[in-house]
Amino acid sequence: MNYYVIYDGNCNLCVTLVQLLETLDQGKLFRYVPMQDEQTLSQWEITSTDCQQGMMLIDGNDMERRWQGSNAAEEIGRLLPLGSVFVEAYRALPGMKWAGDRFYEQIRDNRYRLFGKRSLTYESVYCVDDSCKN
């Protein structure tokens, strides 16, 4: 089973988190597409306007199953080994989901100011079609 993580390849925070996921998963579950890869995203009917709402996660076995923003982050966490325990505990705490959603929105909307912007778009070695591997 593969999931596609669509991330901002120009955002320092986003790239750091993708690199962490790459290390943890080593391409077994997740493949990565930067939001700047308009050609791939257009094949999936994803626009740059869609990307403004935050990172996305797409189920590679059912492309209609999509998560975005903090929901995508939670689903990625849930899919990681032992991650579901932490995600369920987080969701069970009163008000945490609401607070987490607002926190995500603030980070999303201010990511370049808070964490900086890369001069080159980061492309993962675990891309959709393996064309990015050296």
Side-chain angles (χ1 to χ4, degrees), residues 77-92:
R78 193 186 69 73
L79 291 165
L80 292 171
L82 300 176
S84 62
V85 172
F86 295 103
V87 171
E88 293 307 318
Y90 159 80
R91 289 179 177 166

Side-chain angles (χ1 to χ4, degrees), residues 15-53:
V15 168
T16 298
L17 294 174
V18 164
Q19 290 171 334
L20 176 63
L21 274 175
E22 289 171 334
T23 301
L24 293 171
D25 180 60
Q26 299 182 349
K28 294 176 188 149
L29 189 60
F30 299 110
R31 299 292 172 162
Y32 307 89
V33 180
M35 292 177 180
Q36 292 75 17
D37 183 350
E38 293 178 9
Q39 182 178 356
T40 299
L41 298 182
S42 68
Q43 294 171 7
W44 297 338
E45 299 179 4
I46 297 172
T47 66
S48 59
T49 302
D50 297 327
C51 292
Q52 295 304 313
Q53 298 304 308

